[in-house]
Amino acid sequence: MVTAADRTSVWLASKPAAGTRRRSEQPTGLDREKITAASVRLLDAEGLAGFSMRRLAADLGVTAMSLYWYVDTKDDLLELALDAALGELPLPPEPGSPANPAPSARSWSDRLRALACGYRRLLAVHPWLPALSAEYPNIGPHARAFDTALMRLLGATGLAAPRRSGAHLAVSRFLHGCGTVRQAPEGDFHFALDLLVAGIEAHARPA
């Protein structure tokens, strides 16, 4: 039996180059992006319990074996779907970027609240995300972009550098826990978010 510890992340696995496979074997009309998008739609409709390679193939109008031309396992697809969904989350633009040529006039707390509320809305659309986030390593490009944006935001709080990793952990746990719509009513979510912001502010003040 393959456990989570035994699996190799799709982001780390070395896949055979396309040239090593016979072109005649490649299914027409498919690519990894299309399969990933269909996986997200199926997860939205059926949840994790209803997700299978056979059902996904039926939705795409292909055989289940066709999918394995692009991925090795169902776990690969779940990881790809997880990162694709995270890519829907709007991230605060980096200061100096074309989208934000000047440092943002919004306070870090306003930006953190906007990020947290955006994540909550994302979970409302994709309620299967927390379970996959707990199961898989979250090292895809969109997950890394999220972590980078969060660390940049925490850098604006005034927290000393050694404390930012703890703040990152607190914010991440909050988003995956209290941010889940079914676990936290709207009022509780915003109250918990206020407490989180207040805690960061308290530790960021000079002694």
Side-chain angles (χ1 to χ4, degrees):
M1 178 179 178
V2 177
T3 66
D6 296 325
R7 290 195 299 260
T8 300
S9 169
V10 69
W11 304 109
L12 299 177
S14 56
K15 314 294 284 186
T20 65
R21 299 177 176 181
R22 295 195 304 274
R23 187 173 297 273
S24 61
E25 293 176 343
Q26 184 176 8
T28 59
L30 280 185
D31 56 41
R32 179 176 275 196
E33 290 72 24
K34 182 179 291 187
I35 295 170
T36 300
S39 297
V40 171
R41 291 194 299 271
L42 180 56
L43 286 164
D44 289 344
E46 303 292 341
L48 283 169
F51 183 89
S52 70
M53 299 296 270
R54 187 178 299 277
R55 174 63 190 275
L56 178 62
D59 286 353
L60 287 166
V62 299
T63 65
M65 289 305 298
S66 299
L67 303 177
Y68 292 104
W69 205 94
Y70 298 93
V71 294
D72 286 340
T73 66
K74 174 182 171 181
D75 291 311
D76 285 358
L77 270 182
L78 291 176
E79 273 198 271
L80 291 168
L82 168 62
D83 200 66
L86 289 174
E88 299 173 17
L89 178 66
L91 299 177
E94 183 175 359
S97 69
N100 188 27
S104 175
R106 301 174 71 190
S107 67
W108 67 263
S109 58
D110 286 342
R111 284 179 281 153
L112 179 57
R113 285 188 173 93
L115 183 64
C117 291
Y119 198 91
R120 178 179 170 86
R121 289 191 294 271
L122 185 71
L123 297 187
V125 177
H126 306 302
W128 44 271
L129 271 177
L132 288 190
S133 294
E135 179 73 12
Y136 296 100
N138 272 320
I139 56 175
H142 292 118
R144 294 197 306 271
F146 172 81
D147 279 340
T148 298
L150 180 55
M151 287 303 296
R152 188 169 59 239
L153 193 159
L154 292 173
T157 63
L159 281 171
R163 291 187 168 183
R164 291 176 200 162
S165 59
H168 182 281
L169 177 62
V171 173
S172 298
R173 293 294 187 188
F174 170 79
L175 293 178
H176 293 310
C178 189
T180 303
V181 174
R182 283 182 295 180
Q183 291 182 351
E186 188 79 14
D188 291 348
F189 169 79
H190 287 288
F191 180 66
L193 181 55
D194 287 343
L195 291 177
L196 179 64
V197 169
I200 294 174
E201 287 174 336
H203 285 283
R205 295 191 193 110

